[in-house]
Amino acid sequence: MVDVRGEHSGAFLRLRQLWTRRCHFSLVLAMVDNPDYRDALMARLDAVQPGARIDLTPADAPAVWLQQGEAQCAQGLRRLHVCLPLDARHGDPWWQQANTLRERLADAMPTLQVVWLSQADVDTAAHQAPDLWNWREAVLDFTAWVIQPERTAGLPDPTKAISVGTEAAALTERLAQIEDFLARQAQLPDPDERPSAHLLLEAARAHRQLGQWEQSTAAAQRAADLFAACGDAAHAAQAKAEETQILRLTGSLDQALTVLTQDVLPVYERLGDVRSKAITLGLIADILQARGQFDEALRIYREEELPVYERLGDACSLLRGRTNMARLLMERGTKQDQSEAAHLLSQAYQAARDMQLPEADQIAALHLARFGRPIARTGDAAG
Amino acid sequence: MTEPSIWSYQDNFDFRRDIDPDSPFHYPLEEHRGKYSRSKMLTAFHLDGSGRLRPGAKPKDAEAVLFGGHIGCGKSTELRDYAQLLQQTYTVHHMELTKTLDINNLRFSDLLIALVHALMRTFEDAQLSLRPEPVFLNPVLNWFDTRIVKQERFKDIEGEIKAEVKAQGGIPLLASLLATMTAKVRGGASYREELRREVRDGFLQLLGHFNALIAHANALLKHQSRGPLLFIMDGTDKLSKDDANAFFQADVNQLGQIMTNLIVCAPISVLLESGITAQRFTKAQLPMVKIFEADGTPREQDEDALIGLVLKRMPLRCFDERETVRLLVQKSGGHVRDLLRLIRACFSLLDGEQITRTVAEQAVQEVASEYRRLVQQSDWADLVAIDQSQGEEKDRTEARLRLLYDLVLLEYNNYWWCSHPLVRTLRPYQNALQKARADG
């Protein structure tokens, strides 16, 4: 069975909890960009508790969702996968219709529904189906596999897939050690605040990975406060940025954007830390992309993020930034975008191969899935 | 009693010799480098001129300084002086990388290993008896265990660690592992690049844990009324120009993500190049001993200081007269290592028991000829133009940065350039000067 990628382990744990515990109407939106990976995640859930599956084609109206769902529920199933097409984006009218059908969808299917859909569809749903959107239990992201280094800093290597169960046990044990240290510190008249802040930041990441979002937010906030009290503005900003990860995961995109632009970015600007600033701008671009503001997100990639990595000679961040930008272009999807995306992926792939990074395989897989042909290697044309 | 022969002093001019603040050869030059002052560096660490914490100030815990200057201008000696001043307030690790790493093939991963190793030595220091909490130490240990020890391709590293050290685990194991890794990298083990790649690629996973461990170490030191950690990295200025560009444009930014006090030695070209090199680092520069003004007027008291430096190593009776020493000082351009080089050249030309003016002039010719190969034909006219501008000409072109790196062009405080006095004795320079005068 395909492993859950490291960076998705938290989201998957949360999904598994919902899958096993919900027995009334619950709508979970699961963003995914690879049908094979989606099927693998579904199989993992079905191994825990079996669920039914309905596949909607681009031509199917929202009413088909209702009809097929009703039919499945009539057979007594309590869990449902609803697979929307990943290679075609539903237009505004489709989601407007879905919005008007929401009451019937809920009445006819008093069960957990995991809707597997593209990021583009999530964006449209948020804007065109506001009432349905407000009924969402969670929005889980199973797409973003290659992101800025700081997002994975301190986490288990995302390139080496680890079984969720093993990883969860290790993280839980680590959290217990951290909690023990913090509890002992709390008894001291003059506790060591800065080391504690570092551990709290680590705990925030671990809780996020475990899908424990409230604990993650609380730990990140405590870390940010402690770092600020120690006068460590850079780490305080890092902790604030960690807070926004949960805001993003829970769909509070506006709030995440506010924190990044008002509490994080100005700190790095003041400190003259161009690299951290570029990484933060990348996070902002991600959120803009999720809100469908493709042009602004692209501008940030093009003018503010990638040029910094180029100037710093940070080849690793550059290839990851290029890959992210390619994903955005593929999502926007004009003919010119496709060509530029292919070029960016090719550059990123070459750099990853040169550095012998495992991302090379992932970029090749992304290219193959999107363009239906293997990525060109330097020198292939001559051959 | 007969006086020692001049030949007994020859080794005193070996410029590879380390000069500590308490060495008999130590000669304070701080006052003779123009407007250079140690206060920039010391203030960055909240210290006064004697190395004491300024009233009301707290020690820094993540200050980073890039300390640069011409190769051989006295940076290492100055850094040893700084180390002595700084250790009154900080827990200083003076890392002389030329002794532990392969400076001709240095990568960021090597420095990271050296830093972790230095931290482990702090924990091993019996006088300090620091006992780090496993919650901070274990993630770092686990990282090395997963990345290195358990990898089949690096199995001989584990094989070289003694069984009893393995059994002890913890700090002794990690210290031993890091010492072995350093030896493997320096010795050019067949898997050296793989080892470096493994360390480099996993750096971001280690970074958070390492920063936490440093913060914890600082807290433990504070409980013992000791100052926070401060790492002085000497030797990184000795990288080749290409390696230096690569290192100081990319690798040093990774180094800057490690939140501790750092002083990193850098070649002068890195300090002068614009751009965003090492944005976390404050830059401090050690200029030449300023033995003349930009218009060429000699500064006798500064010449006398360098004469004093020479006479600490060999008595005046070994020269025919004091003015012979002055000639060598003037031709050195205030560059300490070149002054030592000139005297060594005198020894190689010497028959008798005294360095005479004739011998000194021959030595000047000989050392000057070594500079000939560093200057390209197109450089001569530019060197003359710079000298004739009397300090006004200082546009940073690529060619000039190369000349600065190669010591053909020297920088003085307060920031003007002129060509090395030895270079000015060369015929192509004289030809270019004549042409400039004729054209002018």
Side-chain angles (χ1 to χ4, degrees):
Chain A
M1 193 178 287
V2 173
D3 281 314
V4 178
R5 291 179 193 136
E7 70 271 29
H8 298 154
S9 58
F12 185 75
L13 276 174
R14 189 165 164 80
L15 179 58
R16 196 171 62 170
Q17 279 177 357
L18 291 167
W19 186 256
T20 51
R21 291 178 190 167
R22 286 285 183 274
C23 52
H24 53 81
F25 173 73
S26 297
L27 183 67
V28 174
L29 302 177
M31 289 188 287
V32 66
D33 53 5
N34 181 327
D36 294 337
Y37 188 49
R38 174 196 62 196
D39 292 350
L41 295 175
M42 286 166 55
R44 278 186 167 273
L45 291 176
D46 290 343
V48 180
Q49 295 277 355
R53 168 175 179 154
I54 58 176
D55 284 280
L56 298 179
T57 69
D60 289 336
V64 178
W65 176 0
L66 179 62
Q67 289 157 10
Q68 293 198 12
E70 273 180 325
Q72 293 290 354
C73 287
Q75 294 174 28
L77 283 166
R78 310 295 295 173
R79 292 166 190 83
L80 189 61
H81 297 289
V82 181
C83 300
L84 269 53
L86 300 180
D87 52 357
R89 180 180 183 167
H90 282 119
D92 295 352
W94 195 94
W95 282 106
Q96 288 159 3
Q97 282 179 40
N99 198 45
T100 59
L101 279 178
R102 67 188 182 282
E103 298 279 1
R104 293 175 65 190
L105 285 170
D107 290 344
M109 292 171 267
T111 179
L112 174 75
Q113 295 186 52
V114 180
V115 183
W116 299 90
L117 72 179
S118 68
Q119 197 167 324
D121 262 336
V122 171
D123 299 336
T124 317
H127 291 100
Q128 302 301 327
D131 304 302
L132 184 68
W133 175 253
N134 278 328
W135 284 3
R136 72 195 183 281
E137 183 80 29
V139 181
L140 302 169
D141 188 352
F142 295 101
T143 62
W145 56 269
V146 55
I147 43 182
Q148 310 312 327
E150 269 61 10
R151 293 207 211 169
T152 55
L155 303 182
D157 190 343
T159 61
K160 290 180 182 160
I162 306 165
S163 135
V164 169
T166 312
E167 187 182 352
L171 285 175
T172 305
E173 189 185 333
R174 177 72 186 151
L175 282 167
Q177 292 166 356
I178 292 173
E179 195 50 51
D180 174 60
F181 176 83
L182 296 175
R184 280 188 284 124
Q185 284 290 309
Q187 306 299 318
L188 300 176
D190 182 20
D192 299 332
E193 291 186 335
R194 193 186 292 255
S196 300
H198 277 284
L199 290 182
L200 279 164
L201 181 54
E202 186 190 344
R205 288 171 179 149
H207 281 303
R208 168 161 59 82
Q209 278 195 293
L210 289 169
Q212 297 161 352
W213 293 349
E214 283 175 18
Q215 293 98 316
S216 172
T217 302
Q221 283 172 349
R222 279 180 66 199
D225 291 345
L226 276 183
F227 278 127
C230 297
D232 188 343
H235 274 104
Q238 224 178 79
K240 285 273 182 194
E242 178 60 34
E243 261 185 79
T244 68
Q245 299 283 29
I246 301 299
L247 291 172
R248 188 167 167 266
L249 286 167
T250 50
S252 303
L253 300 181
D254 291 346
Q255 206 180 335
L257 198 58
T258 303
V259 173
L260 287 172
T261 52
Q262 293 184 5
D263 298 339
V264 180
L265 201 57
V267 174
Y268 295 133
E269 282 173 345
R270 183 163 49 81
L271 296 174
D273 185 345
V274 288
R275 188 172 179 279
S276 298
K277 181 185 166 188
I279 288 163
T280 308
L281 284 165
L283 294 172
I284 289 171
D286 283 351
I287 293 174
L288 294 174
Q289 180 178 351
R291 295 206 312 191
Q293 294 171 258
F294 294 149
D295 293 346
E296 178 58 10
L298 271 176
R299 189 197 65 74
I300 289 173
Y301 278 128
R302 251 191 254 281
E303 297 176 18
E304 303 201 54
E305 189 185 8
L306 299 188
V308 171
Y309 300 144
E310 281 180 35
R311 284 205 303 277
L312 289 173
D314 184 346
C316 217
S317 297
L318 183 62
L319 83 89
R320 288 170 177 154
R322 280 179 172 152
T323 309
N324 283 343
M325 184 170 155
R327 292 164 58 87
L328 193 159
L329 287 163
M330 289 188 299
E331 193 179 334
R332 193 169 74 167
T334 69
K335 195 172 177 185
Q336 195 181 346
D337 286 343
Q338 300 301 314
S339 155
E340 189 180 354
H343 179 63
L344 285 166
L345 285 181
S346 178
Q347 284 181 309
Y349 174 71
Q350 193 58 47
R353 277 193 74 206
D354 289 347
M355 289 188 277
Q356 297 184 29
L357 296 178
E359 275 93 333
D361 292 338
Q362 295 173 319
I363 295 167
L366 182 65
H367 188 280
L368 184 64
R370 182 70 200 189
F371 299 106
R373 59 178 191 277
I375 198 162
R377 298 178 181 192
T378 302
D380 281 1
Chain B
M1 199 171 85
T2 54
E3 288 179 324
S5 160
I6 187 171
W7 297 101
S8 65
Y9 300 109
Q10 186 178 1
D11 284 347
N12 293 356
F13 294 91
D14 181 352
F15 46 71
R16 288 168 302 174
R17 183 189 287 256
D18 298 336
I19 306 299
D20 295 319
D22 48 1
S23 159
F25 298 154
H26 186 268
Y27 193 98
L29 291 172
E30 185 196 354
E31 306 292 323
H32 301 284
R33 295 182 187 269
K35 289 185 179 171
Y36 169 72
S37 160
R38 286 179 178 165
S39 65
K40 183 174 184 182
M41 174 82 85
L42 295 174
T43 302
F45 291 101
H46 288 173
L47 304 180
D48 65 14
S50 327
R52 284 189 296 269
L53 200 60
R54 289 189 186 279
K58 288 182 181 172
K60 302 293 285 285
D61 46 30
E63 183 63 38
V65 177
L66 213 52
F67 181 65
H70 284 292
I71 295 164
C73 73
K75 289 191 298 295
S76 294
T77 303
E78 187 74 355
L79 281 177
R80 286 190 199 94
D81 285 6
Y82 275 126
Q84 194 174 58
L85 287 168
L86 291 162
Q87 66 192 12
Q88 297 173 64
T89 309
Y90 292 88
T91 303
V92 176
H93 275 283
H94 192 173
M95 302 159 68
E96 304 203 30
L97 301 177
T98 47
K99 293 178 182 168
T100 53
L101 302 177
D102 179 1
I103 213 73
N104 297 311
N105 189 310
L106 183 70
R107 299 288 178 271
F108 162 72
S109 49
D110 308 353
L111 285 184
L112 180 63
I113 293 168
L115 262 181
V116 183
H117 196 188
L119 182 57
M120 289 308 117
R121 285 202 300 274
T122 307
F123 290 136
E124 284 188 313
D125 188 332
Q127 287 183 323
L128 294 173
S129 69
L130 303 177
R131 290 191 176 77
E133 292 268 357
V135 73
F136 292 99
L137 187 61
N138 287 349
V140 176
L141 265 169
N142 292 343
W143 187 91
F144 279 98
D145 193 48
T146 308
R147 287 264 168 186
I148 311 295
V149 177
K150 286 187 178 154
Q151 300 282 333
E152 179 66 17
R153 59 207 158 132
F154 308 134
K155 65 180 178 188
D156 76 317
I157 292 179
E158 193 204 0
E160 289 190 20
I161 300 172
K162 290 177 182 167
E164 62 265 30
V165 175
K166 277 186 208 164
Q168 275 181 284
I171 292 165
L173 173 61
L174 190 51
S176 178
L177 173 67
L178 290 161
T180 310
M181 285 170 71
T182 302
K184 292 291 177 189
V185 168
R186 186 183 169 93
S190 58
Y191 49 73
R192 173 162 81 174
E193 292 311 317
E194 274 185 273
L195 186 63
R196 285 170 160 169
R197 194 179 305 124
E198 195 65 34
V199 173
R200 182 199 68 196
D201 292 349
F203 170 64
L204 284 169
Q205 275 80 51
L206 177 67
L207 178 65
H209 297 309
F210 190 47
N211 279 338
L213 183 60
I214 288 170
H216 178 53
N218 284 341
L220 294 176
L221 286 164
K222 190 179 173 190
H223 292 315
Q224 299 198 9
S225 304
R226 296 287 300 259
L229 292 160
L230 188 154
F231 298 92
I232 298 177
M233 295 185 148
D234 189 10
T236 37
D237 58 320
K238 294 176 179 65
L239 295 166
S240 72
K241 189 167 190 308
D242 288 345
D243 281 354
N245 284 344
F247 181 82
F248 284 99
Q249 281 177 10
D251 289 359
V252 83
N253 286 302
Q254 285 187 286
L255 194 63
Q257 292 178 58
I258 298 171
M259 288 295 137
T260 187
N261 294 307
L262 288 169
I263 299 175
V264 181
C265 219
I268 191 166
S269 52
V270 168
L271 261 69
L272 295 180
E273 270 173 302
S274 55
I276 50 176
T277 302
Q279 21 86 11
R280 183 165 97 82
F281 289 77
T282 301
K283 292 179 182 175
Q285 187 172 342
L286 184 70
M288 310 294 295
V289 176
K290 192 174 178 181
I291 56 169
F292 42 74
E293 300 290 352
D295 63 3
T297 309
R299 288 164 58 100
E300 208 167 316
Q301 73 282 14
D302 300 304
E303 289 178 0
D304 287 342
L306 285 178
I307 292 171
L309 180 145
V310 173
L311 298 184
K312 277 217 161 194
R313 299 176 189 230
M314 186 163 72
L316 185 57
R317 65 175 171 78
C318 296
F319 295 89
D320 60 351
E321 56 175 339
R322 187 179 172 88
E323 290 311 294
T324 298
V325 192
R326 190 178 300 282
L327 170 73
L328 293 169
V329 164
Q330 287 170 343
K331 294 301 180 189
S332 76
H335 184 266
V336 177
R337 189 174 296 172
D338 269 359
L339 176 58
L340 303 185
R341 197 191 309 274
L342 281 165
I343 292 175
R344 286 175 67 83
C346 289
F347 274 103
S348 71
L349 297 162
L350 193 61
D351 281 330
E353 278 289 320
Q354 264 194 338
I355 295 175
T356 61
R357 187 168 187 88
T358 308
V359 170
E361 284 170 348
Q362 286 175 341
V364 166
Q365 277 184 28
E366 186 160 301
V367 178
S369 68
E370 294 172 12
Y371 278 95
R372 175 70 185 83
R373 72 189 69 230
L374 298 172
V375 188
Q376 295 172 8
Q377 194 55 39
S378 56
D379 294 330
W380 295 109
D382 196 33
L383 288 170
V384 168
I386 290 168
D387 289 343
Q388 289 190 325
S389 78
Q390 298 191 351
E392 294 301 313
E393 183 61 71
K394 46 191 174 186
D395 287 347
R396 292 170 185 179
T397 65
E398 201 170 315
R400 288 174 177 181
L401 288 173
R402 169 175 50 80
L403 293 168
L404 280 163
Y405 182 86
D406 289 335
L407 299 172
V408 173
L409 203 55
L410 300 178
E411 177 165 309
Y412 296 85
N413 238 3
N414 39 356
Y415 307 113
W416 50 270
W417 297 338
C418 76
S419 56
H420 196 305
L422 290 171
V423 171
R424 278 181 259 157
T425 66
L426 295 169
R427 183 166 296 280
Y429 180 91
Q430 292 297 328
N431 292 342
L433 181 62
Q434 276 181 13
K435 185 172 184 306
R437 283 176 179 157
D439 292 347

